[in-house]
Structure formats: structure tokens, C-alpha cells
Amino acid sequence: MVAQRRLSWRQLADLTGYHPSWLSKVRHGAPPSADLVRRCDEVLKAQGKLISLAEVKSLSRPAQLPASSAGFVGREDFLSWIKKILMRGRGASSSPIVAVEGPPGIGKTTAVLRCADEIVRAEPDVFPDGQLFADLRGYSPDGEPSRPADVLEEFLVSLGVPVQEVPPRTEQRANLYRSLLSSRRLLIILDNAASSCQVEPLLPGAAGSAVIITSRRRLGALAMRVNVERGELRPLSKAESVAVLSSALGAERAKAEMDSVTTLANLCGRLPLALRIAAERVAAHPHHPVSDLADELAAERQRLDGLAIHDSANVRSAFDWSYHDLGDAEARAFRYLAMHRGPHISVEAAAALTGTPVVQTRRILQKLHEVHLLEGVEVSRYRFHDLLRLFAAERVETDDSPEDRAAAARRLIDWYLFTAAAGGRSLAPFRLNPLVMPEAEPGVTPLRFGDGKSALRWYDMEAANFVAVTRLAIEHGLHEAAWKLAVALFDYFRLLRKPGGIWLATTTLALKATKEIGNRYAEGWVETSLAEGYRWLRRYDRAQRLFEHALAVRRSVGDRHGEAWTLAGLGFLAVDQAHWAEARARAQQAMTIFTVVCDAHGLASCLLTIADSCRGRKRYEEAQGTLAEALATFERIENHDGRGLALAKLAGLHGEHGRHEIALSCLEQSLEARRAAGSRWGEADCLSRRARTLEALDCAERARASWEAALELYEELDDARADDIRAYLDGKGAHVVAGTLSVPAW
């Protein structure tokens, strides 16, 4: 019409009194004001046609966004990511599509609506033709997802198509829908999608519009057919979670009860739905302390009951919709996985727990991950969100018989026991093993290890699970398996690759198991391990009492081999406390028995104690000869950790006589051996010894580097020696406490 009147856009701007830049925006899709339409109609002598056209178009400009949450907090980075994708799509050859995925209750819809609301308010010209919104009901109480044909009908009517003119077939509706969108720019939100097939007919065909999809499952098939940017929402940060609760409580009340607010945020698993429910509950009772609700939710069996409001969705029902959408195999695995209460589980352990082959189990876990009922972690492992674990635990108690649960526990415990025993044989083939192993449960396939390094990798990955697995064994009356697992883990524990608390907690549980079944033989082995754990942590009084009691137990049942190791442990403990005469006496007693039972490893270990007692009495030549004999034995049986410790003791002997160069050479060999054994604590001990030797050689820079390397390892192990080194490096400590000079008591 402008061309028909032979007017330029600048001339039209002059005639209407509007700036040319604004007319340019309208020309490219920005909605005109009623005043501009009226003026243009007058200038162009359109006789009301432009006014009528604008009225029709305004009726077909949908604005369907639901209200965004008033208490929305956080997610700034995620919202910025979505906005950048949508803005980047302007002028592109296809419409930008963002898929926001995540578990139930994570706040996908809330985040997307907030993002859309911010775009519409701040950038009205980006999507001038409106917004479409549809809840696709992928997960809903009635379990019936919306049909694409029905959604298309609603969209077409919203875009100005009379209902009687909507085509009957889905494909026809999709074609008309895409045709209408080809000349418009809309923001389309497809919420709660069930599948890729449900979403595909609802996507624009041409550039201009943009789509945001939310779903509880990974829409992998959709990503294979169209260009989709996928993002996964995770639980809120600690600060964001506290902010959600604080916004409901008010700043003053939240500040006054911050400890309880923080506890409540953690109990909610930082899940937005749970946080909003908790916030509503505490806000509804301003005269009750926040700690009341925190105390209520602290009991795991009551937590999901507490995260509910009678007239609103609750956490349990949100999870339930996803659970009931699972196939039988996936639902069963989901339930059984709750029995494994460690922080994560491997595919192989899950296969034992569920009694299914590894290949099939891997597919099942992948499906659970795709619907965000499991989180994937490194090295093909999976974990639950805390609240999902509680829900799964409820389901396994409700849906599975006690007999089935007991059988699952036996399979899982056997898998850990036999795998740990195989790892011990790889780590310490030189050891005379005290365990007599039964047959594994049918369907259990333990791991096998080609060498000690592969065994160590498995132990390191599983270390955080050992306490939970031992506790599960005791809960199901599998006391024999519980104590044998602790014994099978000793060769890993002695390398101290993880904080010693895991050693103590696992072995303390195992000791209770031995007493529960009255197995005195088992009690002696487990109690000696526990005593050794306390010795490594420098809790000498506790270690002394445990060693002495274990010695009495072993003598009462006639366990001569076990008696020798407990005597050896008492000798190591005496060395740590510089009680030289006692150390020598205990070692000699142990050596007599080790000779009878032909335990070369035990003999060499006691030789180190004899050497220490010689040094304590200034008998250096005898000490050197004894250490040389121990070193030769450790080399013959290929005990790298023992070899490393013998070399470290030789270095100490040379250092005391001023032969620092020879000492340094011994320490370099010792460091190599400790690393070959995989002993992080041994490596840290050797690094600190090397640092002292380098200082004696006036190599300050190298010495500091060695101190810092030792400090890093001690910190990783949560060892108190880290404080000694840190104080020394800061100039606040006169010396560093030396590492223990003896070997583990087996």
C-alpha cells in the first residue's frame, strides 16, 4: 500500500509523525500501536482497511504464557544459556530449539517460564507475534500424554484459524501450522514432553520462531532429526537453596535461624519442588521454629510424608508419575538399587544386585538415566538423588517380598566379598591368606584383576561404598560375609590410599558382626586390623588395648598364625613409641611362629622391627645387616611396599651417619617402590623423608618441592601430618613429625 501511494518509508514517517527507525521495526514484525495504525490508515487513504486488519491480527496474536513463579531464585547461568541460543537464532536458516531436561521436581517448567517472561518483557520485538504454550502431559496423574493432533488444533485456533476450518488429519494440521508460522515470529513452549514423536509435529518448519521443550527424559531421537540444544537442570546450589527458603521466611527470620534453614535445604536435596513445599510449610507457621520441620524431615522414613501439602502436588506423587511410566525390568532395577546405600554403584554391582546379566543391566541403567531417575557419574557409575533414593526404598519395601530383598542383598554382598578377595590376591600374592571362601551365590560374577594396579583402581572407586555394603550385610544377617569383607580389604587399607576413617568404620562394623555370631577366630583377625588402623592414625592407647585383646582371643582359640601377626603389630606399635626393648621382644616372639608357618612376609616385616630396635640402642651395624636381610626377602617375594619401607629405613640409617647422598639414593629407590605398590601414604612418608635429606644437603628449592608434594598427599588422606608440614613451611613449626617407621600388622 505504501508502494501504491508512491511514498518512501521516510516520507510515511514524516506524514505520520513517527521516527523512521520505529517504522522499520514495524515493517519487520514489531506490533504497531493503535495510534500508528490509525495515522497510517489516514495517510494512505485506506478507508479503515488497515484498522480492520490490525484488529484481526491482534485477535490472532496469542499470549499463552502462564504466570512465572514469584519466588523464583537462581538459575542465572542456565537462563542466560537459553537466551543466547534463542537470540543467536535470529536470522538463522532454521528455528532455534532448546530442550530442557531433568528429573521430576527439578524446576524445568518454572525456569523456562521465567526465561520466557524475561524475554517477552525485555525484548518485545524478538517474538512480536506472541507466545504459544502447551502442557503435553508427558507425566501426569491420569497417565495420558496429549495427542499432537489435539495440541495442533489448539494452536491453529489460537493463530486465527476458525475451528470449523481446522483440517481433520494430524499431518494436514501440522502443514497448516507450519505455513502460518512461516511469516510469523513466535516463542513456542512445549512443556512436559513424553517423547520425540509427540514433539516433532509441533515444531516450526521455517526460521523465525523459537521452541523451548521441557521433558523428564532425554529426547535423543529428536536430536537425531533436528538441531536441538539440550541442557540438563540439576539441583540448586547451596546458596540458591537457602535463598529459596529465605524468600519465603523473610530476611530477618531466615538470618536468625540460618543454621536450621541450611539444614532444611540439605534435607530437601536442594530440589526446587521440595524447597518450595518446605518454604510454604514454614511460612504458614511463623511462630514455629524452622528447626521443627528440619527435625521432622531428618527421619528418612518420614521425609517424603513431610514434603507434601494437601492441596498441591507433592514430591512423592511427582516421582510416582515417572516410576509408573517405567517398564517392569526398569522399575525392578530402580527399586533394588535403593538397597545399595553407597554414594554410587557400578554396572557390575547393579547386575549382581538385580540378578541380571551385565549387558542387560547396562541397558536398563541407561534407560533409567535417560528418564533422569538416575544420575550418571564417572566410569560408568550411577547414583540417586537423595529424595529419589528414599522413594525407591519405599517402593522396594512395598513391591518386593522380604525373601526377594534378602536374595538381592546376598548377591550384592557376595559380589563385593569375592571381588575384594580377588583384589587382595592381586595386591599381595605373597600373603598367606586366612580366609576360607565358600561358593558365590548363583548369578554372581565377581571381577578378576590382571594386576595390582587394576585392583587398586577398583578399590579406589568403591572405597566410599565399603561402609554401606558392610552395614547392609549385617542388616540382612550376613555376618560371616561382613567380617570376611573387612579382612579381604586389609591389603587395600594398609596402603592408605583413602582417609583412614573408612578403614575404622568398616572394620568396627565387622568386629560387631564377629561378636554377634561368636566367631572368636574371626574376631582375632578383625580386631588386629582395627588395632592397626588406630595405630596408623597415631591413636596409640586405643591400638594397644585392641592388640592386647586380640592377642588373648587368638591364644584362646589356638590361632598361631594370627597370634604371630598380632605380636608383630604390638612390635610395630612399640617402635612408634620408641619402646625398643618391647619392640624387639614382640618381634622375636612373632618370628618364631612365622618360621614354623613358613610366612616369609611376616618374617621380613619383623626384621624391620628388629632393625629399628638396633638403631634405638645405637647398634648400627646390626641394624644395617638386618635391614639388608629384610630388603632381600621383600625383593624375593615381590612386596614393593615392604621393599620401599626397608629402603626408607636404610636411608634413615645413612642419614644419621651423615651419608646424605647415599640416603638420598635409597629414598629415590624407596619412592619408586612405594609408587609401584600404590601406597599414597608410603609415597607421602618417603617424600617428607626426602625433603629432610635435601635440606641436609642444602638443596632448599628441591626440599620445598618435596615438602609440598608430601603435604598434598597427606591432605588428600586427611592425615594429621599435613598440619605438621604446613606449620613447618609457614615457619611456625620447628620440625616435622616423622612418619611411622614400621609396617602394617599383617
Side-chain angles (χ1 to χ4, degrees):
M1 193 170 285
V2 173
Q4 290 174 355
R5 296 290 184 269
R6 296 182 179 179
L7 294 174
S8 68
W9 285 94
R10 181 168 291 280
Q11 288 172 322
L12 181 63
D14 291 339
L15 290 171
T16 58
Y18 278 79
H19 195 277
S21 64
W22 178 242
L23 288 186
S24 178
K25 288 185 178 182
V26 173
R27 181 184 179 189
H28 290 92
S33 65
D35 181 68
L36 174 58
V37 172
R38 181 181 57 77
R39 292 195 184 195
C40 287
D41 192 85
E42 292 174 356
V43 167
L44 299 174
K45 299 179 181 180
Q47 299 178 339
K49 292 180 180 178
L50 287 179
I51 295 174
S52 299
L53 182 63
E55 288 175 350
V56 171
K57 189 171 183 180
S58 67
L59 290 174
S60 63
R61 183 182 182 277
Q64 298 182 349
L65 291 183
S68 63
S69 173
F72 186 85
V73 171
R75 305 289 197 201
E76 287 86 359
D77 291 344
F78 196 82
L79 299 190
S80 296
W81 172 76
I82 297 177
K83 290 175 187 175
K84 285 178 183 177
I85 294 171
L86 300 186
M87 299 306 177
R88 196 169 64 224
R90 300 171 71 180
S93 58
S94 61
S95 297
I97 303 172
V98 178
V100 177
E101 303 166 351
I106 203 67
K108 299 178 291 295
T109 302
T110 304
V112 164
L113 289 177
R114 172 51 65 100
C115 181
D117 182 65
E118 290 179 358
I119 292 173
V120 169
R121 286 189 291 104
E123 303 280 353
D125 60 328
V126 176
F127 300 108
D129 297 312
Q131 315 95 40
L132 293 172
F133 176 89
D135 180 359
L136 301 184
R137 300 176 64 79
Y139 297 88
S140 59
D142 57 22
E144 293 293 331
S146 300
R147 297 189 310 155
D150 296 337
V151 178
L152 283 167
E153 181 178 12
E154 293 176 7
F155 280 178
L156 289 172
V157 172
S158 299
L159 293 170
V161 178
V163 66
Q164 63 272 19
E165 296 181 19
V166 174
R169 293 170 52 200
T170 302
E171 186 177 346
Q172 293 172 324
R173 292 179 180 185
N175 288 337
L176 178 58
Y177 170 68
R178 287 191 288 269
S179 298
L180 291 174
L181 292 183
S182 65
S183 60
R184 307 190 191 199
R185 299 208 306 273
L186 291 97
L187 177 59
I188 304 162
I189 296 179
L190 306 175
D191 187 39
N192 197 10
S195 66
S196 298
C197 294
Q198 185 191 32
V199 167
E200 278 192 74
L202 309 178
L203 301 179
S209 297
V211 182
I212 307 177
I213 306 164
T214 73
S215 181
R216 294 188 183 186
R217 67 171 65 240
R218 293 177 62 85
L219 302 176
L222 183 67
M224 293 173 64
R225 288 189 278 272
V226 296
N227 185 24
V228 179
E229 297 279 357
R230 296 192 305 196
E232 181 181 346
L233 272 183
R234 296 187 178 277
L236 295 171
S237 68
K238 178 180 176 180
E240 290 171 333
S241 302
V242 169
V244 170
L245 296 173
S246 298
S247 66
L249 291 170
E252 185 175 342
R253 184 182 176 192
K255 184 178 180 180
E257 300 186 74
M258 185 51 65
D259 287 346
S260 295
V261 170
T262 302
T263 299
L264 187 57
N266 291 332
L267 290 170
C268 290
R270 304 204 294 271
L271 191 74
L273 174 59
L275 289 164
R276 291 199 302 272
I277 292 171
E280 175 58 29
R281 286 197 60 190
V282 294
H285 301 282
H287 303 299
H288 295 181
V290 178
S291 59
D292 281 1
L293 181 56
D295 291 343
E296 177 186 336
L297 299 186
E300 289 189 350
R301 288 184 173 272
Q302 299 176 11
R303 193 169 305 163
L304 294 181
D305 290 332
L307 292 173
I309 299 176
H310 71 279
D311 63 346
S312 175
N314 60 68
V315 172
R316 183 184 283 109
S317 62
F319 293 165
D320 207 36
W321 300 340
S322 289
Y323 172 71
H324 283 293
D325 194 54
L326 296 173
D328 290 344
E330 289 77 24
R332 179 175 178 274
F334 174 76
R335 298 192 304 270
Y336 276 29
L337 288 172
M339 296 178 64
H340 185 287
R341 293 193 290 273
H344 48 69
I345 189 170
S346 68
V347 175
E348 294 81 5
L353 178 62
T354 58
T356 52
V358 171
V359 173
Q360 182 182 345
T361 303
R362 181 173 286 108
R363 287 197 295 266
I364 290 171
L365 298 184
Q366 286 171 349
K367 289 179 182 178
L368 289 171
H369 179 239
E370 287 169 3
V371 296
H372 297 283
L373 291 179
L374 281 182
E375 299 176 21
V377 292
E378 61 181 359
V379 200
S380 298
R381 288 171 176 268
Y382 295 89
R383 68 184 175 198
F384 275 120
H385 181 276
D386 288 347
L387 297 181
L388 275 168
R389 182 194 299 279
L390 296 181
F391 175 78
E394 287 184 352
R395 299 305 314 189
V396 76
E397 288 196 8
T398 301
D399 299 354
D400 297 278
S401 69
E403 293 77 16
D404 287 343
R405 296 198 301 271
R410 283 195 299 272
R411 289 192 300 268
L412 181 68
I413 301 307
D414 264 15
W415 183 84
Y416 271 99
L417 172 58
F418 283 84
T419 300
R425 289 192 295 271
S426 294
L427 286 180
F430 47 79
R431 182 178 302 288
L432 295 182
N433 198 311
L435 292 180
V436 177
M437 302 291 286
E439 291 293 322
E441 283 289 308
V444 174
T445 306
L447 298 181
R448 294 291 182 263
F449 305 101
D451 54 34
K453 288 184 178 179
S454 59
L456 281 175
R457 283 193 295 271
W458 178 80
Y459 280 123
D460 284 346
M461 289 302 301
E462 291 288 351
N465 291 323
F466 291 147
V467 176
V469 169
T470 306
R471 186 174 287 115
L472 179 68
I474 293 172
E475 288 174 0
H476 284 269
L478 304 173
H479 298 91
E480 286 285 334
W483 78 258
K484 286 181 178 179
L485 177 60
V487 172
L489 290 172
F490 179 80
D491 278 303
Y492 173 68
F493 287 150
R494 71 182 175 83
L495 296 176
L496 282 173
R497 293 171 61 86
K498 296 288 181 181
I502 296 174
W503 185 350
L504 296 187
T506 303
T507 314
T508 298
L509 286 169
L511 184 59
K512 291 179 180 177
T514 67
K515 293 180 178 180
E516 185 73 22
I517 58 177
N519 188 332
R520 300 278 280 171
Y521 173 83
E523 183 181 348
W525 283 102
V526 175
E527 193 164 33
T528 297
S529 175
L530 185 59
E532 183 66 3
Y534 279 110
R535 183 180 76 84
W536 278 100
L537 295 177
R538 301 193 294 188
R539 295 171 65 176
Y540 298 138
D541 288 345
R542 184 68 181 274
Q544 183 78 34
R545 290 195 297 273
L546 287 167
F547 273 133
E548 288 176 352
H549 186 266
L551 183 61
V553 168
R554 292 184 135 165
R555 285 174 171 167
S556 72
V557 297
D559 178 11
R560 294 287 283 162
H561 188 210
E563 179 185 349
W565 275 116
T566 305
L567 287 166
L570 284 165
F572 304 154
L573 182 61
V575 167
D576 293 342
Q577 300 174 92
H579 300 160
W580 307 119
E582 181 184 353
R584 189 179 188 88
R586 295 295 193 181
Q588 288 173 335
Q589 288 175 299
M591 288 177 70
T592 300
I593 302 174
F594 284 136
T595 301
V596 173
V597 299
C598 300
D599 189 340
H601 169 51
L603 282 168
S605 300
C606 288
L607 285 172
L608 296 182
T609 302
I610 297 293
D612 285 328
S613 71
C614 291
R615 285 177 59 192
R617 295 187 296 172
K618 311 299 183 186
R619 295 164 59 174
Y620 294 112
E621 287 187 10
E622 183 183 347
Q624 187 169 348
T626 305
L627 286 173
E629 184 181 351
L631 179 60
T633 302
F634 283 130
E635 289 176 341
R636 177 172 56 82
I637 65 175
E638 298 185 13
N639 181 343
H640 298 296
D641 195 44
R643 176 175 177 269
L645 187 53
L647 285 164
K649 291 178 181 293
L650 277 171
L653 198 61
H654 288 301
E656 289 177 22
H657 287 80
R659 300 190 290 265
H660 300 301
E661 291 287 356
I662 300 175
L664 186 60
S665 175
C666 287
L667 287 171
E668 296 296 349
Q669 295 176 67
S670 174
L671 187 58
E672 181 183 351
R674 301 309 276 272
R675 285 172 173 165
S679 173
R680 288 201 183 101
W681 190 94
E683 182 179 350
D685 177 56
C686 197
L687 285 166
S688 61
R689 293 172 188 266
R690 186 176 69 170
R692 289 193 292 271
T693 304
L694 287 167
E695 285 180 341
L697 291 168
D698 293 326
C699 299
E701 250 183 74
R702 290 177 62 196
R704 186 171 186 88
S706 197
W707 281 126
E708 289 173 348
L711 174 61
E712 184 177 346
L713 284 170
Y714 280 134
E715 286 178 334
E716 179 185 329
L717 298 170
D718 196 25
D719 192 295
R721 294 164 183 85
D723 297 332
D724 299 337
I725 295 177
R726 197 179 300 107
Y728 179 74
L729 292 177
D730 291 342
K732 299 174 183 177
H735 67 283
V736 177
V737 176
T740 188
L741 297 177
S742 45
V743 295
W746 284 9

